[in-house]
Amino acid sequence: PRGEFTLVVAGAEKQAERVWSREEVQAALQTRLSGGDSLSAAASALAGVCGWKKKEIYRLGIESDTR
């Protein structure tokens, strides 16, 4: 008899990406804020590339602003 079958293959494993240092994140955050981004927008954009969570970047931005 004819039939169908499904073959499930795992995707490629994520390679370990380099997590940015606090100084690198602060510099990139300042650049985006100077360019007109809101803190929330800047944190979202950076979270996708630096290895930090959005709320950590947002908190860093708030702490930097109060200093």
Side-chain angles (χ1 to χ4, degrees):
R2 295 182 76 166
E4 291 184 29
F5 65 91
T6 303
L7 177 62
V8 178
V9 179
E13 291 185 24
K14 237 184 179 179
Q15 294 182 359
E17 298 175 11
R18 186 180 73 83
V19 177
W20 294 12
S21 70
R22 180 182 180 97
E23 292 76 22
E24 290 173 309
V25 174
Q26 280 180 317
L29 183 59
Q30 186 58 47
T31 299
R32 293 196 72 98
L33 293 174
S34 296
D37 282 0
S38 68
L39 179 55
S40 181
S44 289
L46 290 175
V49 295
C50 71
W52 286 41
K53 293 181 180 176
K54 177 185 173 184
K55 77 176 169 182
E56 294 171 335
I57 300 168
Y58 191 90
R59 187 176 303 131
L60 181 62
I62 291 173
E63 290 172 1
S64 296
D65 191 42
T66 59
R67 291 183 184 177

